């Protein structure tokens, strides 16, 4: 089955760090660029980060640049998001999404990150 | 930064046609994509590249674009179409993904 499964979410204190993972299956992960998209409670979708195949290009939203790091391990069919200096504004469900040209054609179910003391 | 503007809500009776708009500067030069999201679920692609439908998406869903406005049209609306709908594009000037604020479709 073609799917993406996120993990690693949880409760973290302000200023803390967390690493999210996204496991891909059912397709050739190394052939696709990937993204992270988040959604704060009751809010809309916000694009977070993009990583091209072979990690050849990486982009970040201004709101996370310098605090978040995206990476991938094609041997493990996995995408990662290392998050640091977390604040309340980072509380959200984080989705990984597969890229096809400029749209997101496959999404995971999301993992919830709550930043709270 | 680039902004996509959607109406917060659209209401339509079953069997009627729903039109959800997405406005953005120079949107004509960019490919616009549409997603449906039901409560507690991940977004799901329903239209890509302005007018194309992924396999499995009914013909009732169609996309168009004119001037500064892209439109998602849902014909013969059903109760199951009730969801949030988001437009999206890739801003090549800054290499960022951009989402509209979302439109809640209510089926009366």
């Amino acid at each position: 089955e073609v799917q993406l499964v996120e993990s690693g979410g949880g409760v973290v204190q302000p200023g803390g760090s967390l690493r999210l993972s996204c496991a891909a299956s059912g397709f050739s992960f190394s052939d696709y660029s990937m993204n992270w998209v988040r959604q704060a409670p009751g809010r809309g979708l916000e694009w977070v980060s993009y990583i091209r195949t072979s990690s050849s290009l990486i982009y970040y939203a201004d709101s996370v640049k310098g605090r978040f790091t995206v990476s991938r391990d094609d041997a493990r069919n996995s995408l990662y998001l290392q998050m640091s200096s977390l604040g309340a504004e980072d509380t959200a469900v984080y989705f990984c999404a597969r890229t096809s040209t400029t749209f997101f054609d496959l999404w995971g179910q999301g993992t919830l990150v709550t930043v709270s003391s | 930064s680039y902004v996509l503007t959607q109406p917060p809500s659209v209401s339509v009776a079953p069997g009627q046609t729903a039109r959800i708009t997405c406005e953005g500067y120079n949107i004509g030069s960019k490919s616009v994509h549409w997603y449906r999201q039901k409560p507690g679920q991940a977004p799901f692609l329903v239209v890509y590249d302005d007018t194309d439908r992924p396999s499995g998406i009914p013909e009732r869903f169609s996309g168009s674009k004119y001037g500064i406005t892209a439109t998602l049209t849902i014909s013969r609306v059903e109760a199951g179409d009730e969801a949030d709908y988001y437009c999206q594009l890739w801003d090549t000037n800054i290499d960022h993904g951009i989402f509209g604020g979302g439109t809640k479709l209510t089926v009366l």
Side-chain angles (χ1 to χ4, degrees):
Chain A
E1 182 184 359
V2 176
Q3 65 176 356
L4 298 169
V5 179
E6 301 93 338
S7 61
V11 180
V12 60
Q13 291 190 339
S17 300
L18 205 60
R19 188 197 197 204
L20 306 182
S21 300
C22 170
S25 59
F27 65 97
S28 181
F29 177 74
S30 61
D31 290 340
Y32 288 87
S33 300
M34 299 293 295
N35 292 265
W36 288 98
V37 176
R38 68 184 181 182
Q39 186 171 36
R43 305 296 296 273
L45 301 172
E46 178 188 15
W47 172 81
V48 171
S49 182
Y50 164 94
I51 184 167
R52 189 173 282 185
T53 55
S54 305
S55 304
S56 57
L57 273 177
I58 288 174
Y59 304 120
Y60 298 100
D62 294 346
S63 57
V64 307
K65 197 169 186 178
R67 300 187 300 120
F68 289 13
T69 302
V70 65
S71 62
R72 62 189 298 160
D73 184 340
D74 290 344
R76 296 178 181 272
N77 293 325
S78 292
L79 174 72
Y80 305 101
L81 186 67
Q82 178 68 48
M83 306 184 295
S84 61
S85 301
L86 287 164
E89 69 277 11
D90 298 312
T91 293
V93 174
Y94 286 74
F95 299 98
C96 60
R98 188 178 74 177
T99 301
S100 183
T101 64
T102 62
F103 56 90
F104 311 127
D105 67 345
L106 179 68
W107 296 67
Q109 86 288 350
T111 186
L112 176 62
V113 173
T114 302
V115 183
S116 175
S117 55
Chain B
S1 61
Y2 195 90
V3 176
L4 291 172
T5 301
Q6 297 182 237
S9 63
V10 167
S11 298
V12 64
Q16 300 304 303
T17 297
R19 294 179 179 85
I20 299 171
T21 59
C22 174
E23 292 188 358
Y25 171 75
N26 202 27
I27 202 172
S29 67
K30 306 178 191 300
S31 293
V32 178
H33 321 296
W34 292 90
Y35 304 87
R36 159 195 280 190
Q37 185 182 34
K38 295 190 175 183
Q41 297 183 14
F44 189 84
L45 182 71
V46 294
V47 167
Y48 66 96
D49 291 348
D50 300 333
T51 60
D52 293 338
R53 280 186 310 276
S55 60
I57 299 300
E59 291 184 4
R60 301 187 299 107
F61 289 80
S62 63
S64 61
K65 199 167 62 177
Y66 183 78
I68 65 167
T69 304
T71 302
L72 174 69
T73 301
I74 308 173
S75 304
R76 302 180 299 283
V77 166
E78 305 170 354
D81 295 329
E82 194 163 275
D84 294 326
Y85 291 83
Y86 294 90
C87 59
Q88 176 259 323
L89 53 76
W90 188 265
D91 186 349
T92 55
N93 291 325
I94 56 173
D95 287 316
H96 280 30
I98 306 293
F99 285 96
T103 298
K104 180 176 180 59
L105 175 64
T106 299
V107 181
L108 301 171

